[in-house]
Amino acid sequence: MTRISLFLLLFWINLSVLAQDSVMYKPNQIRNFKLVPLPAIASNPANGWLFGIAPSATWRMGEAESTHLSNLVGNLLYTTKKQWLISSRSNIFLADDSWILVGDWRFFITSQPTFGLGSSSPNEPMENPNQPGVWWGEQQMDYNWVRFYETVLKRISDSKFYLGIGYHLDIYSKIENFIDDEVNQELTFSNDFYNQTKGFTSNKNTLSGITLNAVMENRDLAVSPYETNFALISYKINPEFLGSNQTSSTLLLDYRHYFPLNENRKRHLLALWGYGNFLVSGELPYMALPSIGYDMFGRSGRGYSQGRFRGESMVYSEAEYRFPLQKNKDTFGGTVFVNAASFGSKMTNENLFDKINPGYGLGFRVMINKVNRTTISADYGFGQKGNSGFYLNINESF
C-alpha cells in the first residue's frame, strides 16, 4: 500500500541522515525522524474494538527554532464489527514553516448506524411523524468509503497565516441499509428517502471538489498543543465536471485555543474548540452531509457514536480541562470535558439551535514520548438518552 511505502521511504531517508550527521543539513531535509510502529488496540461506539497497527511518525524539515514537527499517523485496523479501516493522515511543515501539506487518505469497508436528520432523532427505530413512511432512529448501513484529501498551504510572509488550495474526493459505494429483524414495519430508510428526494442514487455517491483555505497555525505542537491557537476557514466547491453527482458548495470553520494555567507545568491547561460545517449551495448526498465525528481525526462528539447526528448545517463546541497527575513528571495525565452539538435540516424543518445535544466525560493520558508528546488517550463520554461510549486513541482529541 502507498502508506506503507511512504513509511519505508521515510525510514531509509532517516538512516541516511543519521549516517551523514557530519554533513550540513539542506532545507526541507528530513531530520530527527522517529517512527513508533505501535500495535493498535482502540475503541469507540461506531466501530467497537479495533485491532491492528497504527504507526505514528514525527520529523522536522528544518531547524527546531523555526519549523514545527511534522507528523503522520497511519492505521491498518480490523474491528469487532467486521470492518476494515485503512488510513493515513498527515501534517507536514516544510523548512521555516514556509509551506504546510495536509493529507487525509482513507479506504474503509465499514458499517455504521444512522438515525435520520437533525438533532431530535430518537435512539430506537420508529416511523418519522414528520415524514410518514420513513424510518427515524437507528438504522444500520454497510458501505465502502474512499477518501483522498490533499491540501497545500503557503505561508504569508513571516506571519502565522497561510493561504492554499486543496483537492477533496469522497466516494461512497455499496451502500446497503437494514434494520433489526424484530421490527416488522416496511418503511423507507432515511438514506434512501433523502437521496431519492434530492435526486441522488441510494447505493453510490461521489463528491469531488476544490477547496480554498485560509489557516492560522499558531500552536506549539499540532498533535498535542500546550498553548496558543489554530484557525481554519475552508470553502469547498464540488462541481459536476470534477465528478460530483451534483454541484454544491460548503463552508467549514474550525477554531481551537489553548490556555496554559501554570507556566511551570504547561500540561495543565484549558482547551477550547469551536467547529461549524454548512451546506452553502446545491445539494449533498446523505453520507456527505455534515455529521458528528467526521472531523479529520474523528474526535468530535464524545458521548455519541460517529454519525449519530446529521444535517445540512452543524455547529459544535467543546471545552476540555487537561492536567498532570504527577508532581514533577508528565507521564500520566487526566482530563474532564464537556461538549455540545446542534444540527439543522431543511428536510425536517429543524433549525440550528432548536435542540442542543450535550456530552461530557473524563479521561486518562499516558505520554509515551515526551519529545513529540505522543500520548495514549482513554476517555469515557456520556450523552443524552443513554448514549455513551469508550474511546481509546493516540494523541489528544484536539
Side-chain angles (χ1 to χ4, degrees):
M1 298 299 291
T2 302
R3 189 191 69 261
I4 296 174
S5 300
L6 178 59
F7 275 115
L8 290 175
L9 174 63
L10 293 174
F11 178 73
W12 286 112
I13 291 174
N14 181 59
L15 287 182
S16 68
V17 170
L18 292 176
Q20 303 174 33
D21 55 6
S22 62
V23 179
M24 183 179 294
Y25 285 126
K26 297 178 181 179
N28 298 323
Q29 186 176 17
I30 294 175
R31 64 197 75 175
N32 301 322
F33 178 76
K34 294 181 176 64
L35 173 63
V36 183
L38 285 174
I41 301 176
S43 176
N44 63 62
N47 306 115
W49 283 92
L50 305 90
F51 304 93
I53 57 173
S56 174
T58 59
W59 67 95
R60 288 193 196 277
M61 305 293 286
E63 300 297 334
E65 296 78 14
S66 60
T67 307
H68 277 79
L69 272 176
S70 297
N71 72 285
L72 188 150
V73 177
N75 288 293
L76 175 58
L77 302 170
Y78 184 73
T79 81
T80 52
K81 295 188 178 182
K82 301 180 180 180
Q83 304 159 336
W84 283 99
L85 309 177
I86 303 170
S87 66
S88 171
R89 282 161 278 197
S90 59
N91 284 278
I92 300 173
F93 296 84
L94 299 191
D96 301 319
D97 290 348
S98 55
W99 295 82
I100 305 177
L101 312 178
V102 182
D104 183 358
W105 308 352
R106 309 183 192 187
F107 175 63
F108 288 2
I109 301 174
T110 188
S111 59
Q112 188 177 104
T114 186
F115 295 79
L117 300 181
S119 298
S120 303
S121 57
N123 290 333
E124 299 300 322
M126 59 179 289
E127 185 173 11
N128 191 331
N130 300 315
Q131 296 172 337
V134 179
W135 281 114
W136 206 30
E138 185 173 357
Q139 305 150 63
Q140 293 296 323
M141 304 178 70
D142 288 346
Y143 60 96
N144 293 352
W145 181 19
V146 173
R147 164 173 283 187
F148 178 81
Y149 285 11
E150 198 65 42
T151 302
V152 179
L153 300 158
K154 178 69 174 73
R155 187 176 183 178
I156 306 304
S157 188
D158 293 328
S159 72
K160 301 294 184 180
F161 293 92
Y162 296 76
L163 296 176
I165 190 169
Y167 174 68
H168 289 195
L169 172 69
D170 287 292
I171 302 174
Y172 304 93
S173 62
K174 298 184 179 180
I175 304 171
E176 296 182 4
N177 302 276
F178 57 96
I179 206 160
D180 194 320
D181 292 336
E182 296 180 3
V183 180
N184 296 318
Q185 284 180 287
E186 292 293 332
L187 303 175
T188 303
F189 293 104
S190 296
N191 169 67
D192 293 341
F193 177 77
Y194 176 90
N195 283 333
Q196 291 165 9
T197 301
K198 300 295 184 178
F200 296 98
T201 60
S202 296
N203 62 350
K204 183 177 181 179
N205 301 119
T206 299
L207 197 67
S208 176
I210 298 295
T211 57
L212 306 176
N213 306 278
V215 168
M216 178 183 68
E217 178 54 89
N218 200 27
R219 295 172 292 185
D220 59 329
L221 185 61
V223 295
S224 295
Y226 282 168
E227 55 189 343
T228 56
N229 51 6
F230 167 86
L232 165 67
I233 301 174
S234 181
Y235 182 68
K236 183 178 179 183
I237 305 166
N238 310 298
E240 287 187 50
F241 69 79
L242 281 182
S244 296
N245 298 119
Q246 296 185 31
T247 297
S248 63
S249 64
T250 61
L251 177 65
L252 175 66
L253 307 174
D254 190 334
Y255 182 75
R256 309 172 188 205
H257 206 117
Y258 306 89
F259 298 92
L261 302 178
N262 185 329
E263 286 300 320
N264 296 321
R265 298 296 302 279
K266 288 190 175 181
R267 197 177 182 187
H268 188 225
L269 61 94
L270 177 66
L272 303 178
W273 183 15
Y275 184 88
N277 198 356
F278 311 93
L279 174 62
V280 176
S281 65
E283 303 290 352
L284 294 172
Y286 186 88
M287 293 295 293
L289 289 169
S291 183
I292 198 78
Y294 275 88
D295 52 285
M296 181 173 175
F297 289 95
R299 303 299 179 87
S300 60
R302 283 174 291 177
Y304 299 94
S305 64
Q306 186 183 56
R308 176 60 183 84
F309 301 107
R310 190 182 303 268
E312 291 96 328
S313 55
M314 167 190 176
V315 171
Y316 177 80
S317 62
E318 182 162 348
E320 184 170 74
Y321 172 48
R322 301 172 186 170
F323 50 91
L325 291 175
Q326 296 164 287
K327 186 175 181 179
N328 298 312
K329 296 182 179 180
D330 287 326
T331 304
F332 300 111
T335 180
V336 292
F337 59 87
V338 293
N339 60 54
S342 183
F343 289 79
S345 173
K346 295 179 290 185
M347 181 165 281
T348 58
N349 297 316
E350 187 172 357
N351 297 317
L352 275 175
F353 308 116
D354 282 353
K355 180 175 175 55
I356 296 175
N357 292 287
Y360 62 94
L362 71 167
F364 179 66
R365 301 288 183 268
V366 181
M367 189 177 293
I368 59 176
N369 187 309
K370 295 179 177 60
V371 176
N372 57 24
R373 300 181 200 161
T374 301
T375 303
I376 297 174
S377 62
D379 300 307
Y380 202 94
F382 302 86
Q384 285 188 319
K385 299 179 180 178
N387 287 280
S388 65
F390 175 66
Y391 306 81
L392 184 62
N393 288 298
I394 296 292
N395 294 326
E396 295 292 353
S397 294
F398 64 93

